[in-house]
Amino acid sequence: ITIDLIFGTPQMTNEKWTNKIIQGDCLILVPQLPDDFVDLVITSPPYHIGMKYDIYDDIKLSHEEYIVWLRDIFAALKPKMKTGGRICINIGDQKNGHITTHSDIIQFMTKDLGCLIKTTIIWYKHQLGNRTSWGSWKSPQNPSFPTPFEYILVFCKDTQEKIGRKEDITITKEEFITNSLAVWEFPPE
């Protein structure tokens, strides 16, 4: 996973990470982070299915290897999270839902790593391309179900509550109402 780290807590003493945007390989960056330092992680991991990227080598892995790779990354990240810190993982299932990647992630995040699940958001992407599965066209024997959505899995470290100062809240009432629904509808970039 390539990770963009954005830190800006003024009272932190580690200047290497404070008020900086640092992009790089998470397997190298995460171990360098101080423990109990990160409030929020937002990531959309590559699927390791051999896709072509400009700056990332998406080597093909089996599903089992992929899940172990993800678990190792999030296991390294967990001690770096503050109590109540959130990890948001944007992921889609593979092969039109035949491989339930989101379920595997929920299992290792909660059972193996001891994270608490905050919510599962469905991101309906409004993409109508590739909605017809010609291999199963009009075939009730083995229909295919293309998925025009992905999951955003939100996990917490140790507690569901995020401690903070009320006067630092910047979200409007309208933004809170819209974004606290478990279905988000917008097209991808």
Side-chain angles (χ1 to χ4, degrees):
I1 297 173
T2 297
I3 189 168
D4 291 325
L5 302 169
I6 304 171
F7 304 106
T9 308
Q11 63 269 27
M12 295 305 296
T13 58
N14 194 329
E15 292 300 319
K16 178 179 179 180
W17 304 104
T18 302
N19 296 323
K20 305 264 191 310
I21 297 174
I22 301 162
Q23 182 179 20
D25 185 330
C26 66
L27 294 172
I28 296 169
L29 287 176
V30 168
Q32 297 177 43
L33 293 171
D35 287 349
D36 301 313
F37 186 69
V38 180
D39 285 299
L40 176 65
V41 171
I42 300 172
T43 186
S44 179
Y47 289 97
H48 278 291
I49 55 175
M51 292 178 65
K52 299 287 185 204
Y53 289 96
D54 294 351
I55 59 171
Y56 183 74
D57 184 14
D58 188 51
I59 58 171
K60 192 168 188 165
L61 298 176
S62 71
H63 182 70
E64 292 76 19
E65 291 170 319
Y66 178 66
I67 294 302
V68 168
W69 177 74
L70 287 175
R71 184 176 43 233
D72 290 348
I73 290 167
F74 291 111
L77 186 60
K78 186 181 177 196
K80 310 305 180 179
M81 302 295 298
K82 290 182 181 177
T83 298
R86 311 284 164 82
I87 300 173
C88 306
I89 305 169
N90 170 221
I91 197 79
D93 287 340
Q94 295 180 26
K95 296 190 178 183
N96 290 334
H98 290 276
I99 298 177
T100 54
T101 307
H102 84 282
S103 178
D104 293 332
I105 292 171
I106 290 170
Q107 293 304 308
F108 78 68
M109 289 294 287
T110 57
K111 292 186 176 166
D112 297 350
L113 303 183
C115 293
L116 304 173
I117 189 155
K118 181 72 175 167
T119 194
T120 299
I121 299 167
I122 302 298
W123 171 26
Y124 177 54
K125 302 187 321 182
H126 287 280
Q127 287 183 308
L128 299 178
N130 198 23
R131 287 287 308 269
T132 306
S133 297
W134 295 106
S136 67
W137 179 248
K138 296 176 82 172
S139 172
Q141 181 181 8
N142 189 17
S144 180
F145 296 91
T147 52
F149 63 89
E150 291 185 3
Y151 300 92
I152 301 171
L153 309 172
V154 183
F155 299 94
C156 306
K157 179 183 175 183
D158 299 331
T159 180
Q160 296 277 349
E161 295 184 22
K162 181 70 183 110
I163 305 301
R165 298 175 346 137
K166 190 170 185 161
E167 57 269 18
D168 292 337
I169 296 171
T170 60
I171 192 169
T172 67
K173 174 184 170 185
E174 292 77 20
E175 289 170 330
F176 182 83
I177 290 169
T178 299
N179 295 316
S180 62
L181 295 174
V183 176
W184 291 357
E185 296 187 47
F186 57 90
E189 189 174 306

